Amino acid sequence: METRATRFGLWTWTVLVVLFLYLPIAIIVVYAFNSSNIQSWPISGFTTKWFASTWHNREVREALVLSLKAALVATSIALVLGSAGAFAVSRFRFFGRETISFVFVLPLALPGIITGMALNSYFGFWGWQLSIWTIIVGHATFCVVIVYNNVIARLRRTSPSLVEASMDLGADGWQTFRFVTFPVISTALVSGALLAFALSFDEVIVTTFTAGAQNTLPLWIFGKIRLGQQLPQVNVVVAVIIALTVIPVYLAQRLSRESGILRRR
Amino acid sequence: MAAGADTAGRPSWAARRRLSAAFWRRGWLRGTFLLPPPLAWFALLYLTALVVLLISSFWRVDPFTTELVHDWNLDNFTRIFTEPVYRTIAVRTIGIAAAVTITDAIIAIPFAYFMARLASPRTRAALFVLVLLPLWASYLARVYAWRLILAKEGVLNWTLAQLGLPTVGIAYSNWAMWIVFSYVWLPFMILPVYAAMERIPDSYLEASTDLGAKGWRTTRSIVLPLAFPGIVAGSIFTFALTLGDYITPTLVGGASSQFIGNVVYSSVGIANNVPFAAAYAVVPLAVMGVYLLVARRLGAFEAM
C-alpha cells in the first residue's frame, strides 16, 4: 500500500520520536556522574562521588523514607477500596452506575492543582494539621482510580461461567474466591499496586498542597531545583528515581499482558 | 461420631453455599457490601472537598486579620475578569495548552501509524513499552532534564555550536514551556491514537487503494477520520495536564511565563487567599468541562 519512500519516512520519524523520548533521560543520567558542580555540557569529568554524598544526606534520606511510607500506605488503601469498587460495579447494572464510574476517574481527569487545592482548603476547613496522613489521603484518592481501572478491566475480560462452574462443583464463596477469582485477578492487583506506587512516589502537584512543612522526595527535588541548591545531589536523586519508577512500571506492563490462569484467545 | 460430625457440618455447608450463590446472583447484594467503603471515601473526602472549594470561591479574606469571611460575594470573579493581568495569564495558559496539543498530535500521528500498521508484532510490542516507560519515569526528572538541555551552557547550544550554527537563548521562556510540555505529555497522545489506528480494518485501506486513491488521499479520507476520536481522547490529556500545571512554568518558564496554576499556588501558599485561588481555579475547571462535553460529542470516550 505505502510506497517505499513513505515507509522509509515513517520509519525515520518513529526512530526520531524514540530518540526524542529517551535522549533527555539519558542526559540526566549522564549528569549524575558529572565531576563538576557546575551544570554545563559536556560534563567535565566522570565521578561517582555524588552518589556517596547523596546517600549520606540526611534531608534526602528523610524525604525518601516519607515518600516510601506514604506510597506504601496509599497503595494499600487503594488496593482495598479500588478492588471493592471494581467488584461492586462489575456485572451489576444499577441506577447511578455511570455516575459512580465517572466519580472514580475524576481525580485523574481533573487538573492536579484543583484536587490539591480542594483537599488543602478542606483540611483547613476541619482544622486538620497537614501531616503524613494528609499526604496519604491525597495520594490514595488518585491511586484508587489506578487499581479500580486495572481490576475492572480484568473482571470484564473474565467469563462469569468460571465462577458458576466452581460453584456448581460445590465450592463455597470463599473457596471460589480463593481458587478461581483471586488467581484470575491477582496479576491485575499486582500491576495496579505497582502503578499506584509509582504514581504516588512521583506525585508533586497534589502533594505541595497536602504536605505542609515536610518534604517528600519529589518536593525536595522541586525545592532544590527552584533554588539552585545542591544540584549535583539532585542529579543523583533524579537518576535513581527514574530507575525506581521505571522498574515497577515495566513489571506491571509484563504482568497485565498475561492474565494469570486466563488467557484471552 | 464421624457421622454426627458429618450431619452437623452439612447444614452449615449448605447454608454457606446458598449464601454464596445469593451473593453471586444478586448484584445489589454484593454492591451493598462492597460499594460503601470506596464510595464513602470519595464522597466524604474528595467530592465534599471539591464542593467546599467551589463555595469558598464566593467568600473573601479579611485583609487585616487574614481570616476567612463567609459573606457571599462575587468580588473574586470580578477581579479575575476585570484585571488584565489575570486575563493575560488565562489566555497564555489556554494558548500554550492548545499549541502543545496540536504539536503532540502532529508528532503522534505518523508514529502511531507506523506502530499500528507497518511495525512487526515484536517491534510493536517494543515500541509500546518504549512509549509507556517515559510516561511513568519521574515527571520532575524529565522537566529538569530539559532545564539542563536548554540552559545557556546546555546540550542544545553545545550541539548548535558544534554544527557551526548560532546559539539560541530559549531557556526560561514560553518556547521552553512549549517544548517541555510537548515532550512530557507526548506518550498520552501516542497511546490513544495508536489504539484508534490499530482498529482500522486493513480492508478499508485496500478498498481505498483499489478505488484508485493515492497515499495522501487514503490518509486524508480514511485514516485521519477514523483516528480522529483517538486524537481527541489524547488531546484531553495533553490539554488538561497543561492547563493544571505549575511545575513546568516554575522550572523552565521565565519571569513573565506565569500560568493559572502559578497564581493559584502563590495565592494559597504565599498570600494565603484561598477564596481567590479557588475562584481562579474555576477557570480551568470550566474550560475542561466545555472541552469534555465537546470531546464526548466527537466520540472520544469510546476511543479511550
Side-chain angles (χ1 to χ4, degrees), chain A residues 2 21-22 122 167 173 208 235, chain B residues 17 20 44 113 130 183 246:
Chain A
E2 297 85 4
L21 285 174
Y22 280 88
Y122 189 57
M167 291 187 156
T208 37
N235 293 342
Chain B
R17 283 211 52 204
S20 317
L44 294 180
Y113 187 86
L130 282 174
Y183 171 76
Y246 72 92

Side-chain angles (χ1 to χ4, degrees), chain A residues 74 77 112-142 203 205-214, chain B residues 40-54 56 59 68 70 268 272 274:
Chain A
I77 295 174
I113 195 143
I114 291 173
T115 305
M117 270 212 60
L119 290 173
N120 181 283
S121 53
Y122 189 57
F123 296 147
F125 183 78
W126 289 115
W128 293 351
Q129 285 298 314
L130 297 180
S131 67
I132 181 170
W133 293 105
T134 53
I135 300 178
I136 289 169
V137 166
H139 285 194
T141 304
F142 53 77
E203 217 290 330
I205 296 189
V206 176
T207 318
T208 37
F209 289 96
T210 55
Q214 355 166 46
Chain B
W41 178 281
F42 272 85
L44 294 180
L45 288 169
Y46 189 59
L47 290 179
T48 323
L50 282 179
V51 172
V52 171
L53 177 74
L54 286 179
S56 74
W59 294 341
L68 262 184
H70 297 199
V268 174
N272 206 9
V274 173

